[in-house]
Amino acid sequence: MKNLYQIILISFLLCLYSCQSDFLNQPPLDRITESDVWSDRDLMDTYIFKIYDNMPWDYLKDFGQSAGWGAHRDALTDLAMSTYSWTPANNSIRSGNWGTSTNYWPLDWWGYFNVWKINYSIQNLESLSANVLSDEERDHRLGEMYFMRSFCYFAMAKRYGGVPIILEPQDPNITPDEEYFPPRNTEQEVYDQILNDAQTAFSLLPDRWTGEKGRAGKWAAKSLESRAALYAGSIATYGTIDLDGLVGIPSSEATKYYQQSLDASNLVLNESGYTLFNKYPNPSENYYKLFLDETEDETIFMKIWLPFEKGHSYDLRNTPYSYRVDWGSSMSPSKQLMDSYEMLNTGLLPTENGSGYDPQNPFENRDPRFKGTLLTNNDLFQGSGIETWFATERDGELDTNTGTGIGKDGMGIHPDATKTGVYLRKYLADGSSPLLIQQYYSGQDCILFRLGEIYLNAAEAASEMGMDASARDFIEPIRTRAGLTQDLRLENYSGIALRDRIRNERKIEMAFEDQRYWDVRRWRIAEEALSIQVEGIKSLRHIDNAGNETFSYEVIQAESQSMNFDQRHYYLPIGNDRINNNPRLIENPGY
């Protein structure tokens, strides 16, 4: 059931009502008081649901006008480029032309508006009388608040480093100035607060909410601990300390955080009851359907969307060109991503000697997740084949005319068609005929934590601590489920080479799940990974005298300018407006 967000379909004022309560027994809208909210279970839950709805975790909805319609954060990485050349995603963020005056979403998130609501809710929940909620019911809601506060601070820490830690709801009328305008805490202090809140949430939350899909359970909190501790370990290992610790974590703390991530991961893997999704015999289809079937075997926590009622526009923004209602194909996946999928017969990457990669057959004999993630030339989608060829060659003559020469999804048929020769498949709805999904009509749930990530977190943490054998134990189930056949335990790699293959495994397993941008930053490899010129694969159709169809392929530079990630971009700027509002805040280095 997607009942969690059905309440949020109504307006903010109507959100103060419960859809489950008798309308005639409710006070008039203009007479609902604070005491009404915290003395009625349904009004209270509606307030809580509104906090859920404003959390910074969704990545299926596009980022709107500030970044250019259709932009997603993975279009800021080496996974893909924004197809629309005019978007700020392309001409500002990817090119590195941003700073304190262009500090906007999809990167910026200064979430104290949500933190205040969470602290306010904690204060009221702790003082509830027993006739409103039982102790267990109150604890469960408190657990939600600690989980969401942990996530809010994690969202800010991975952007800015140290931020002010505020644990009480501030009131401008009574809060002293030194508390109302606090300085930044160190990055380590913020991560410790994140992890403490996640552990508190784990102790309070139910295993699962009965009949209420979309509410965070205890394993979501433990998964957040697994992820956040891994980030802290990475920053301690690869980052540097500046501004007296406002950014950076001492390297001596790395092992502690890696061990905490590994311990949290092991608890989820061994005690949560979640299993890797493995419903379909075809591994490509199985991986693809993981994100559409909306099962809860692997999915630990998700953002719920309701098609047609309260939906997002992922299909509208990303469906291939000829299948679109409008817009479409907003992300053009890169050849750099394609080269990260190993060859099925050898277990080697296409760029490695002896891999068996054939440049004239570039999309076949690959890791099955390749076809579960991407749509390539002649792949079947919504009842017809994808046609990416830019022209047709007959008797030595090139035909680039629409309908006879260029494919219906081909490069150059329209500015909104793919720039790299492939399209995104992951998360897109499919069917036997064109679906023509309108704006806000997509209903795929956004997976925020899943068991596949926990295996990867554990493998990385173990590898970073020199525990290669344990790292292999954690990576093997992921590679086996993917349908790979060679070197499932990565025995051919050790030390740094093993670490790098585990990172590559994370890149493809978690592609387009809003992980890559943050991963390359915490590993401090973004200056290399995000300073590239995206390549693509251009396809040409050949028709011989007998009418037989063949294809040839050519590697191309897909964007006119290189991406540029500068060292200062490892931390976002606090921004002039915030510092003007609170002079005790110190700007991050380089801005």
Side-chain angles (χ1 to χ4, degrees):
M1 293 177 60
K2 295 188 176 183
N3 56 336
L4 171 57
Y5 288 96
Q6 289 171 344
I7 295 177
I8 306 176
L9 299 177
I10 54 180
S11 67
F12 177 71
L13 287 178
L14 288 178
C15 276
L16 295 176
Y17 274 78
S18 167
C19 296
Q20 302 172 359
S21 298
D22 182 356
F23 179 82
L24 295 178
N25 291 332
Q26 296 294 333
L29 284 175
D30 60 355
R31 297 184 191 174
I32 291 178
T33 65
E34 177 182 329
S35 61
D36 290 326
V37 172
W38 297 105
S39 62
D40 181 278
R41 179 205 310 266
D42 294 326
L43 293 176
M44 186 189 314
D45 279 352
T46 301
Y47 186 86
I48 292 171
F49 297 161
K50 194 65 180 176
I51 300 174
Y52 268 95
D53 207 36
N54 287 326
M55 289 293 291
W57 45 39
D58 197 294
Y59 55 86
L60 290 186
K61 64 179 182 180
D62 65 70
F63 294 137
Q65 190 171 10
S66 63
W69 297 114
H72 295 264
R73 198 152 33 231
D74 280 314
L76 308 180
T77 74
D78 54 347
L79 301 185
M81 59 178 288
S82 175
T83 301
Y84 313 138
S85 61
W86 51 267
T87 62
N90 260 351
N91 55 42
S92 293
I93 302 175
R94 284 175 63 85
S95 60
N97 297 323
W98 57 273
T100 56
S101 62
T102 51
N103 200 21
Y104 44 56
W105 188 258
L107 297 181
D108 188 60
W109 193 79
W110 191 256
Y112 287 99
F113 63 95
N114 247 21
V115 170
W116 186 91
K117 293 176 183 177
I118 291 166
N119 289 336
Y120 170 73
S121 299
I122 290 173
Q123 184 182 75
N124 281 279
L125 285 164
E126 287 178 338
S127 61
L128 280 183
S129 62
N131 62 352
V132 179
L133 296 176
S134 69
D135 288 347
E136 182 180 66
E137 290 172 327
R138 181 200 63 192
D139 285 350
H140 290 171
R141 285 155 180 81
L142 276 171
E144 289 179 292
M145 294 300 106
Y146 282 105
F147 169 72
M148 287 193 280
R149 189 169 75 182
S150 178
F151 199 100
C152 284
Y153 276 110
F154 178 57
M156 289 191 282
K158 68 184 184 180
R159 288 167 166 84
Y160 312 104
V163 295
I165 296 175
I166 301 173
L167 304 179
E168 302 289 338
Q170 295 176 317
D171 183 339
N173 296 315
I174 62 174
T175 302
D177 282 353
E178 64 271 15
E179 295 178 22
Y180 197 70
F181 297 104
R184 296 171 63 181
N185 288 82
T186 67
E187 185 166 7
Q188 182 173 8
E189 288 171 338
V190 176
Y191 269 101
D192 287 344
Q193 182 64 47
I194 292 164
L195 296 170
N196 287 338
D197 276 351
Q199 290 174 326
T200 301
F202 178 78
S203 69
L204 293 169
L205 284 164
D207 191 79
R208 289 167 176 78
W209 289 81
T210 303
E212 295 190 78
K213 183 179 177 182
R215 297 187 83 159
K218 67 190 304 177
W219 299 110
K222 192 56 65 174
S223 298
L224 176 55
E225 183 183 350
S226 165
R227 185 189 294 179
L230 186 65
Y231 273 54
S234 298
I235 294 161
T237 302
Y238 301 106
T240 56
I241 295 177
D242 204 346
L243 303 179
D244 294 325
L246 295 185
V247 296
I249 296 174
S251 59
S252 59
E253 301 294 294
T255 298
K256 178 187 75 173
Y257 289 119
Y258 285 134
Q259 188 64 56
Q260 184 169 355
S261 176
L262 183 58
D263 291 344
S265 299
N266 268 318
L267 204 63
V268 176
L269 295 174
N270 296 327
E271 298 186 20
S272 69
Y274 291 96
T275 59
L276 291 176
F277 181 82
N278 215 3
K279 181 178 178 181
Y280 300 91
N282 182 301
S284 291
E285 289 303 301
N286 186 71
Y287 180 77
Y288 170 66
K289 291 293 183 64
L290 163 62
F291 304 96
L292 297 181
D293 278 14
E294 298 184 355
T295 66
E296 294 183 77
D297 42 5
E298 178 167 345
T299 300
I300 298 170
F301 181 57
M302 76 297 290
K303 164 74 178 287
I304 302 296
W305 287 99
L306 301 172
F308 314 115
E309 300 174 53
K310 181 182 171 56
H312 52 82
S313 301
Y314 188 83
D315 290 284
L316 179 90
R317 303 296 188 192
N318 290 290
T319 221
Y321 176 74
S322 71
Y323 304 81
R324 68 182 191 155
V325 176
D326 191 8
W327 300 92
S329 54
S330 72
M331 288 190 285
S332 293
S334 68
K335 183 177 181 293
Q336 284 87 345
L337 170 62
M338 294 182 249
D339 287 344
S340 301
Y341 293 90
E342 66 188 50
M343 304 303 296
L344 193 58
N345 290 348
T346 64
L348 298 175
L349 299 176
T351 55
E352 294 180 297
N353 292 332
S355 69
Y357 175 72
D358 179 4
Q360 293 307 314
N361 194 22
F363 308 131
E364 304 306 319
N365 186 34
R366 306 298 290 275
D367 179 327
R369 288 170 293 188
F370 185 105
K371 289 297 183 80
T373 304
L374 306 175
L375 289 167
T376 66
N377 192 39
N378 276 337
D379 287 347
L380 185 66
F381 181 69
Q382 293 186 11
S384 66
I386 299 288
E387 300 178 359
T388 63
W389 54 88
F390 78 97
T392 298
E393 184 268 330
R394 299 181 182 89
D395 297 324
E397 298 291 330
L398 282 184
D399 179 0
T400 58
N401 294 316
T402 302
T404 59
I406 189 170
K408 61 185 175 67
D409 309 292
M411 297 170 63
I413 194 170
H414 188 277
D416 291 354
T418 177
K419 299 295 192 297
T420 58
V422 298
Y423 289 93
L424 185 62
R425 185 190 187 198
K426 190 170 182 176
Y427 266 120
L428 287 181
D430 201 355
S432 58
S433 60
L435 299 179
L436 303 177
I437 298 175
Q438 304 281 338
Q439 189 172 22
Y440 307 128
Y441 276 19
S442 292
Q444 302 93 315
D445 291 343
C446 183
I447 298 176
L448 302 170
F449 291 103
R450 62 182 178 92
L451 200 67
E453 181 199 344
I454 305 304
Y455 276 106
L456 292 165
N457 292 350
E460 182 181 335
S463 174
E464 291 285 5
M465 290 190 289
M467 302 163 55
D468 284 8
S470 294
R472 300 185 206 285
D473 291 340
F474 293 120
I475 209 67
E476 182 179 11
I478 294 295
R479 291 173 58 77
T480 300
R481 190 268 297 272
L484 297 171
T485 60
Q486 303 296 318
D487 199 12
L488 294 177
R489 289 176 53 81
L490 297 177
E491 296 282 1
N492 292 329
Y493 306 88
S494 61
I496 292 176
L498 176 60
R499 180 206 68 183
D500 289 346
R501 282 305 297 257
I502 289 171
R503 289 180 177 182
N504 189 74
E505 198 72 28
R506 187 180 186 92
K507 178 181 181 180
I508 55 180
E509 174 69 23
M510 306 301 295
F512 302 104
E513 295 180 58
D514 196 26
Q515 299 263 7
R516 181 64 177 171
Y517 184 80
W518 309 111
D519 282 341
V520 296
R521 290 170 81 253
R522 67 183 173 88
W523 294 328
R524 297 301 191 261
I525 63 169
E527 289 166 274
E528 176 185 355
L530 303 188
S531 295
I532 61 169
Q533 192 163 9
V534 164
E535 296 179 336
I537 297 180
K538 189 176 183 179
S539 60
L540 174 62
R541 182 174 67 158
H542 305 270
I543 305 290
D544 65 18
N545 292 333
N548 298 313
E549 181 182 73
T550 58
F551 294 89
S552 61
Y553 298 92
E554 174 189 0
V555 175
I556 62 166
Q557 297 291 340
E559 59 183 347
S560 59
Q561 64 178 346
S562 298
M563 299 175 66
N564 181 38
F565 188 96
D566 190 76
Q567 186 177 24
R568 67 176 182 159
H569 293 148
Y570 283 118
Y571 293 99
L572 272 62
I574 301 297
N576 296 332
D577 290 345
R578 291 167 190 147
I579 293 175
N580 290 337
N581 183 57
N582 179 5
R584 301 181 74 191
L585 297 176
I586 298 174
E587 185 57 275
N588 274 329
Y591 296 101

